[in-house]
Amino acid sequence: MRWWDLEPVLELEHELFPEDAWSPGMFWSELAHSRGPQATRRYVVAEDDDGRIVGYAGLAAAGGLGDVQTIAVDRGQWGTGLGSRLLTDLLQHATAFECDEVLLEVRVDNTRAQKLYERFGFEPIGFRRGYYQPGNIDALVMRLTVQGTETSDG
């Protein structure tokens, strides 16, 4: 994702998450950490055949821990595997960032996303009460141990 992607990304963000959409400043802040040798973020967009942005995703990494910041897929692309492709990209970069595990928060009422994360091996580990505002919706916290980093019991 680059700065010129922000306008269509924000349009999709507000369409998909009308109550708790990210602000332009939140995206700008994340993108500021996504370039150069000290990058700690990975943000990617997906385009359709006409060059229209139909999905995006972001990962933050620090101290061996990755955090899926966002994944969004245009409703017209649901069921096409785009969400899986975006998550695969983030997890590949979590490995490149040398993350031992990846966390994420997902709305408790978003079972579609929860099923996607479960297919990738994420497991629920807790809740964040009232995480999504202003709707006061709880978040399910999920964790994935990145393959090849787990320790053996010997």
Side-chain angles (χ1 to χ4, degrees):
M1 183 184 300
R2 302 300 293 262
W3 66 267
W4 52 81
D5 296 321
L6 286 185
E7 186 176 330
V9 163
L10 285 164
E11 287 176 19
L12 188 54
E13 175 81 1
H14 284 280
E15 177 186 321
L16 295 171
F17 312 112
E19 286 187 0
D20 48 18
W22 281 23
S23 69
M26 292 170 77
F27 278 105
W28 277 107
S29 177
E30 289 297 297
L31 289 180
H33 299 284
S34 67
R35 297 276 180 241
Q38 303 298 316
T40 58
R41 305 290 194 274
R42 166 69 174 173
Y43 277 80
V44 60
V45 295
E47 297 179 342
D48 65 11
D49 292 338
D50 297 325
R52 188 175 67 92
I53 291 178
V54 293
Y56 55 90
L59 174 83
L65 180 64
D67 188 44
V68 174
Q69 303 285 66
T70 187
I71 292 185
V73 174
D74 184 275
R75 286 182 180 91
Q77 297 288 319
W78 287 5
T80 65
L82 179 56
S84 292
R85 291 190 299 277
L86 289 167
L87 184 55
T88 296
D89 179 276
L90 296 185
L91 294 178
Q92 288 171 342
H93 282 82
T95 300
F97 283 131
E98 299 181 354
C99 296
D100 299 318
E101 58 184 19
V102 178
L103 298 175
L104 60 82
E105 292 88 12
V106 59
R107 288 173 62 114
V108 294
D109 59 358
N110 190 345
T111 55
R112 178 182 200 85
Q114 291 172 32
K115 288 178 182 178
L116 168 67
Y117 302 137
E118 288 170 358
R119 284 197 312 269
F120 277 78
F122 281 86
E123 297 176 340
I125 60 169
F127 293 93
R128 295 191 195 278
R129 302 284 177 217
Y131 183 80
Y132 292 98
Q133 293 297 329
N136 203 36
I137 306 295
D138 295 344
L140 174 65
V141 181
M142 302 182 81
R143 176 178 57 207
L144 172 71
T145 301
V146 178
Q147 283 195 324
T149 61
E150 56 280 325
T151 57
S152 65
D153 294 294

